[in-house]
Amino acid sequence: MRTHAQAVVIGGGLVGCSILYHLAKLGWSDVVLLERDELTSGSTWHAAAGIHGLHDSTNISRLQHYTMGLYKELEAETGQGCGIFQPGSLYLAQTEAREHQLRLQEAKARRYEMNFHEVNRAEAERLHPLVNFDGIRCIMYEPSGGNVDPSGVTHAYAAGARQRGAEINRFTPVTGTEPQADGSWIVRTTKGGIRTQWVVNAAGLWAREVAAMAGLQLPLIPTEHQYFVTETIPEIAAMDRRLPSVADRDGEYYLRQEGLGLLVGAYERDMKFWAEESTPLTFGHELFPGDLDRIEPNLLRAMDRVPVVGTAGVKRIINGPMIWSPDSAALFGPVPELRNYFCCCGIIPGFSQSGGLGRLSAEWMIEGEPSLDMFGWDMARYGHWAGKTFTKARVQDQYAHRFKIHFPNEEREAGRPVRTRPAYALQKEMGGVFGLNFGWEHPLWFAAPGEPRTETSGFTRQNWWEPVGREARMLRDSAGIIDISNFAKYEVKGPGAETWLNALFANRMPSKTGRSCLTPLIGKRGGIAGDFTVTRLGEEEFMIIGSGMAERFHQRFFKAVPLPPETTFRSITEATCGFNVAGPRSRELIQRLTNADLSTPSFPFMTSRRITVGGVETMALRVSFTGDLGWELHCAESDQVALYNSLLETGREVDAGPVGSRALMSLRIEKGYGSWSREYSPEYWPQETGLERLIRMDKGDFLNRSAYSAIAGEPARDRLVMLSVAARDADASGGESIFLPDATPVGQVTSGAYGYTVGKSLALGYIKNNGVKPGDKLTVAILGRPHDAVLLEHPPFDPEGKRLRI
Ligand SMILES: Cc1cc2nc3c(=O)[nH]c(=O)nc-3n(C[C@H](O)[C@H](O)[C@H](O)COP(=O)(O)OP(=O)(O)OC[C@H]3O[C@@H](n4cnc5c(N)ncnc54)[C@H](O)[C@@H]3O)c2cc1C
């Protein structure tokens, strides 16, 4: 066994082997995989191994598409059979919402040149004569859908990795991972230790136990999962081709051909956890007893749809464990608190995703950043607040509703609340309807007396659409009070504070106390890794405000620049709360509660001051994400209720009231402001987002300056634009494809909302830099159907930015 390696991958399941293969393929041949048993000894060996290309998340679709194409390449390259069958997949919609979901995916497929298209019933019956299509309102067909052989694929990755110089040690359990002073790790095994630059946790069912060796707790929990295979079905035996798989997600089961019978699996409501506290180290190639009664409701629906399922005998039942994260997406990426410790854990559809995850893992370790934005899958989306109770409740919900549609803006209740602020109870009393943001409960909107306090979900406009409009209009007409306690806030203090901030961010830090600046953070590939407001509070004191959901994500970047001596950095997110008071009467409102002079000459736009508001000490910043006149008032968490009560009470005198984050979303879109993980992501270059104007190349070095420098002269590949959409009962929400009038795909929406105060349905998005100009017509595939749209020259609300400055 080697004693040194560039990376040590722990776990020889499908995912670990793919990561090893891709590390070697991208040029690191000095890599080692350690497997405690035989390869495939976790969830991998007993999987149904179905493969699909389309996913609600665009980047996951791209990653799955890559994976599906890779298996044949891998087979050709290694000579190891992967048992690939690609007879296609049929996707059935029984409901209008499912039809919308499939049509949205079809439009995305056209944008990314993937083959996923609608077929009529006659064609579907020809493709799969054993399915009863009664009651199905829309059928999509993906010709490359199918399944692979779990062991074949895993061994093919292993063979490909070995061919490129990687080493695989089977029957070599890892017993410890020890960080070294020089930043490397020693990975201990029963056969000795290996010193390595990177540790990769791909230990699947045992990811929690391996993480614990490094002092980490991962929000993961295993469940049982079952499928069964039927005896030979004469109709199938008589066929001269293989049948496509059937994705009848409204029926909550999956079905495909296996041998000359069928394989049917289900995610049952009456789900069962396994090994809640820890996965036994002694567990090997074992299965649990079959329990088809538990999945009977799902099976009855499968029998209705494919009647031969009900008449065929059961040949074997597979009931095995799989391990889940709270949202069923992977826990992916380097652990921000550790140096060079990479996680790729909690993967549910591993066979659809192994290739893409392996490639992006290798890119991240070797090149410093994945080529696709993976924020939604980044393990940093969960913090310490995602403990065992939360994880268990969320996993139960995820498993039991595996095929339920994730609607845009949908907030699931399971496991909440986990983190609340002091004003939570008051906001609830006031009719607040809450969302989850990095664990925090934050008000989305406020129901008026008599209105329902729960929201409906769907692709069309829902019951919150009117109340949110009411709040948006109130803010633009008078003022609104928005709880912004969920923003991430940091404090930097000391003699080196300015130097450190200038070495981190791309803009020049404000030189005068009380001044603020907006600044991008630049990623390893020169893209946007964050957008922040930095305020100089004193000679040696600064406050940074950024996206709350990226709090843990930010740490990777903040840690990359060493703090100068006697300079401190700390998160003050938990200790502080805040309200954005915005709208034309916001000055009048706050002025009634403070002696400070809020007039523009004394308190101009983009400045800050410590002021007392309603008896509460606040840090007041004259900025507002609404695009309107406004102040952010940040205070100690213990003062939140007092400040809120004062603002609400005085607010009533000027016709102002509470406003939720959903109205904020609409208001910022009216103004054309981008937001993190939507318009701003490492995938986009500054010159594509419009943020290049905030980069100061003449101020000296800053984080990833050379990466930006390398692409700064390149023309924008895509550009951020704003569209007015002829939408009637559904607005864009993000992810919808954009087409030229002749149906040529040209881009995708990043955010969408109805602009209540400008009377337009709006979308922000990226389109190719191909000569489309303001006033030109495009279409947006809302609900998967073309909706006419016009490219706007300016944001419809206050394009000259006068309201901010009055
Ligand atoms: C019944 C069932 C059906 C499924 N059907 C499908 C499907 O149709 N399509 C699909 O895409 N996915 C399916 N899956 C999911 C799929 O199996 C997983 O996504 C995939 O196998 C995860 O692979 P992995 O490599 O992450 O984890 P695992 O397969 O669990 O591999 C982890 C490996 O790490 C090793 N290991 C653990 N601890 C140590 C240690 N300390 N030292 C060294 N090695 C260690 C283990 O021995 C194991 O080999 C199914 C799962 C189940 C249970």
Side-chain angles (χ1 to χ4, degrees):
M1 189 168 84
R2 288 180 202 170
T3 53
H4 286 79
Q6 287 162 295
V8 169
V9 179
I10 306 172
L14 168 74
V15 172
C17 289
S18 172
I19 295 175
L20 188 78
Y21 168 79
H22 283 92
L23 282 169
K25 196 170 180 175
L26 263 69
W28 280 8
S29 53
D30 190 12
V31 284
V32 173
L33 183 141
L34 301 171
E35 165 55 47
R36 62 177 189 119
D37 199 304
E38 191 48 88
L39 296 182
T40 75
S41 293
S43 286
T44 298
W45 71 274
H46 56 247
I51 52 171
H52 297 275
L54 268 289
H55 190 278
D56 288 333
S57 150
T58 304
N59 275 356
I60 301 307
S61 293
R62 292 162 85 184
L63 180 156
Q64 294 189 172
H65 190 63
Y66 165 77
T67 306
M68 287 171 73
L70 180 68
Y71 291 134
K72 277 195 181 137
E73 253 178 61
L74 203 57
E75 217 174 44
E77 187 185 308
T78 63
Q80 163 70 52
C82 292
I84 308 166
F85 294 102
Q86 288 181 297
S89 299
L90 287 169
Y91 295 76
L92 316 184
Q94 294 187 32
T95 64
E96 186 181 41
R98 186 70 65 183
E99 178 178 347
H100 290 156
Q101 183 196 33
L102 293 184
R103 292 197 184 285
L104 274 161
Q105 292 185 343
E106 187 271 341
K108 255 186 223 179
R110 271 187 285 144
R111 154 96 175 100
Y112 289 101
E113 292 171 5
M114 302 168 186
N115 193 349
F116 181 87
H117 60 268
E118 186 168 11
V119 288
N120 61 26
R121 179 166 177 163
E123 175 63 359
E125 281 171 344
R126 191 195 63 75
L127 287 164
H128 205 316
L130 304 182
V131 175
N132 170 6
F133 291 95
D134 287 355
I136 300 298
R137 48 189 294 152
C138 164
I139 310 165
M140 295 284 174
Y141 180 55
E142 182 182 37
S144 56
N147 65 283
V148 291
D149 166 34
S151 169
V153 165
T154 310
H155 283 94
Y157 280 132
R162 281 199 193 97
Q163 281 170 8
R164 291 177 161 84
E167 180 183 285
I168 297 179
N169 295 287
R170 296 172 301 137
F171 303 101
T172 311
V174 170
T175 53
T177 52
E178 298 164 6
Q180 303 300 299
D182 65 356
S184 67
W185 290 81
I186 292 187
V187 177
R188 304 270 175 218
T189 78
T190 48
K191 297 179 183 165
I194 308 181
R195 186 179 275 269
T196 180
Q197 285 309 311
W198 277 95
V199 173
V200 182
N201 181 347
L205 287 175
W206 293 266
R208 291 174 300 174
E209 288 67 33
V210 167
M213 293 174 193
L216 272 178
Q217 203 189 331
L218 293 180
L220 290 169
I221 187 166
T223 67
E224 294 189 8
H225 177 60
Q226 301 185 77
Y227 65 83
F228 70 92
V229 178
T230 70
E231 300 283 3
T232 294
I233 293 173
E235 290 88 337
I236 296 180
M239 293 196 74
D240 57 359
R241 64 182 170 89
R242 208 173 159 94
L243 291 167
S245 64
V246 179
D248 178 10
R249 287 173 176 168
D250 298 312
E252 300 186 310
Y253 61 87
Y254 54 86
L255 181 148
R256 68 166 175 82
Q257 183 173 338
E258 173 71 15
L260 295 177
L262 290 173
L263 178 157
V264 187
Y267 292 91
E268 66 279 19
R269 292 282 159 93
D270 182 19
M271 53 83 66
K272 205 168 165 190
F273 287 108
W274 175 71
E276 286 182 35
E277 287 307 314
S278 68
T279 306
L281 295 176
T282 50
F283 190 81
H285 277 237
E286 291 157 61
L287 292 173
F288 311 123
D291 180 5
L292 292 187
D293 285 352
R294 228 169 55 227
I295 60 171
E296 192 182 303
N298 312 55
L299 296 188
L300 291 174
R301 289 191 289 271
M303 288 173 197
D304 278 351
R305 187 63 58 206
V306 186
V308 291
V309 172
T311 51
V314 173
K315 188 163 145 193
R316 65 173 186 276
I317 302 171
I318 301 286
N319 184 6
M322 62 207 308
I323 191 159
W324 299 68
S325 76
D327 57 5
S328 77
L331 297 181
F332 190 57
V335 176
E337 297 75 27
L338 300 175
R339 199 166 145 181
N340 292 358
Y341 188 102
F342 199 93
C343 281
C344 192
C345 313
I347 293 114
I348 300 303
F351 291 88
S352 301
Q353 298 175 351
S354 66
L357 285 172
R359 194 190 86 201
L360 296 179
S361 299
E363 286 176 359
W364 210 331
M365 283 180 266
I366 297 174
E367 297 164 10
E369 197 177 272
S371 54
L372 296 182
D373 171 28
M374 292 299 288
F375 184 72
W377 284 46
D378 193 324
M379 57 101 51
R381 72 189 179 280
Y382 291 108
H384 63 81
W385 47 270
K388 283 188 182 167
T389 312
F390 173 81
T391 303
K392 187 174 174 187
R394 296 300 270 195
V395 168
Q396 174 155 31
D397 184 54
Q398 286 293 328
Y399 186 100
H401 301 107
R402 172 75 182 136
F403 294 135
K404 191 167 174 268
I405 301 169
H406 284 263
F407 292 109
N409 295 305
E410 185 190 30
E411 297 281 348
R412 295 196 175 177
E413 291 298 321
R416 294 167 51 198
V418 263
R419 296 214 280 181
T420 57
R421 298 291 193 172
Y424 175 66
L426 175 60
Q427 289 166 334
K428 241 189 151 154
E429 236 172 71
M430 286 159 48
V433 178
F434 293 81
L436 189 71
N437 185 292
F438 200 59
W440 298 111
E441 290 295 321
H442 73 115
L444 301 171
W445 54 279
F446 292 85
E451 279 179 352
R453 289 170 175 224
T454 46
E455 55 179 26
T456 55
S457 295
F459 291 107
T460 51
R461 290 174 186 162
Q462 298 296 306
N463 69 340
W464 50 265
W465 197 84
E466 282 298 340
V468 168
R470 187 170 64 218
E471 291 173 14
R473 282 188 287 267
M474 174 180 68
L475 188 141
R476 289 272 193 253
D477 290 344
S478 51
I481 302 153
I482 310 170
D483 190 336
I484 52 163
S485 305
N486 57 327
F487 285 10
K489 285 146 286 175
Y490 312 101
E491 173 198 85
V492 192
K493 272 183 175 173
E498 183 176 358
T499 310
W500 184 73
L501 289 164
N502 270 321
L504 178 67
F505 293 122
N507 201 349
R508 182 176 287 112
M509 293 301 109
S511 53
K512 283 192 186 149
T513 296
R515 287 290 159 94
S516 302
C517 76
L518 302 176
T519 179
L521 178 71
I522 302 295
K524 277 273 178 193
R525 296 177 190 271
I528 302 291
D531 62 310
F532 297 84
T533 307
V534 184
T535 301
R536 188 168 201 139
L537 303 181
E539 192 48 41
E540 296 186 352
E541 186 181 354
F542 291 81
M543 180 176 175
I544 310 172
I545 301 177
S547 168
M549 63 177 158
E551 171 125 27
R552 197 170 173 206
F553 173 90
H554 294 153
Q555 302 313 314
R556 294 198 189 106
F557 298 87
F558 294 170
K559 283 200 168 143
V561 180
L563 275 170
E566 293 170 55
T567 304
T568 58
F569 166 89
R570 71 177 180 118
S571 167
I572 51 168
T573 306
E574 291 189 8
T576 53
C577 287
F579 297 101
N580 183 200
V581 184
R585 300 187 73 184
S586 57
R587 175 182 285 126
E588 189 184 341
L589 194 170
I590 306 171
Q591 194 68 78
R592 291 180 188 209
L593 292 165
T594 183
N595 292 329
D597 181 359
L598 300 182
S599 66
T600 293
S602 119
F603 207 145
F605 179 56
M606 290 300 280
T607 63
S608 72
R609 250 194 288 153
R610 286 196 163 96
I611 63 172
T612 305
V613 179
V616 170
E617 293 295 314
T618 72
M619 170 49 62
L621 265 72
R622 193 173 154 189
V623 291
S624 177
F625 200 37
T626 61
D628 223 307
L629 172 71
W631 280 261
E632 285 184 3
L633 302 173
H634 299 276
C635 66
E637 194 187 54
S638 52
D639 287 333
Q640 190 199 20
V641 174
L643 179 61
Y644 201 33
N645 275 327
S646 305
L647 292 169
L648 290 169
E649 208 179 303
T650 311
R652 281 189 277 276
E653 296 167 14
V654 298
D655 301 324
V659 167
S661 63
R662 213 162 268 163
L664 177 61
M665 199 50 70
S666 156
L667 295 164
R668 68 101 185 159
I669 291 175
E670 289 179 347
K671 176 69 182 157
Y673 285 158
S675 100
W676 170 250
S677 95
R678 296 181 184 93
E679 289 71 40
Y680 303 148
S681 97
E683 251 178 70
Y684 298 117
W685 292 343
Q687 62 268 42
E688 294 162 347
T689 61
L691 294 183
E692 81 278 22
R693 70 197 154 82
L694 298 173
I695 298 178
R696 296 285 168 271
M697 293 301 274
D698 58 352
K699 72 163 184 168
D701 200 16
F702 56 86
L703 190 66
N704 299 320
R705 182 185 187 277
S706 56
Y708 173 61
S709 187
I711 51 101
E714 299 285 327
R717 301 157 300 181
D718 295 307
R719 66 197 161 103
L720 182 58
V721 294
M722 188 167 211
L723 308 175
S724 166
V725 190
R728 280 174 305 280
D729 59 350
D731 303 296
S733 59
E736 294 86 356
S737 298
I738 305 173
F739 298 91
L740 294 175
D742 68 358
T744 308
V746 72
Q748 74 284 331
V749 172
T750 45
S751 301
Y754 189 73
Y756 299 93
T757 78
V758 296
K760 286 182 166 57
S761 186
L762 299 169
L764 288 170
Y766 283 92
I767 62 168
K768 285 193 193 313
N769 216 0
N770 61 355
V772 182
K773 32 178 215 318
D776 283 359
K777 293 204 165 88
L778 296 161
T779 68
V780 178
I782 296 173
L783 307 176
R785 304 265 194 205
H787 284 60
D788 289 343
V790 177
L791 191 84
L792 300 180
E793 182 155 24
H794 302 294
F797 176 74
D798 190 25
E800 288 161 12
K802 286 186 180 152
R803 287 272 283 255
L804 286 164
R805 293 175 174 82
I806 46 173

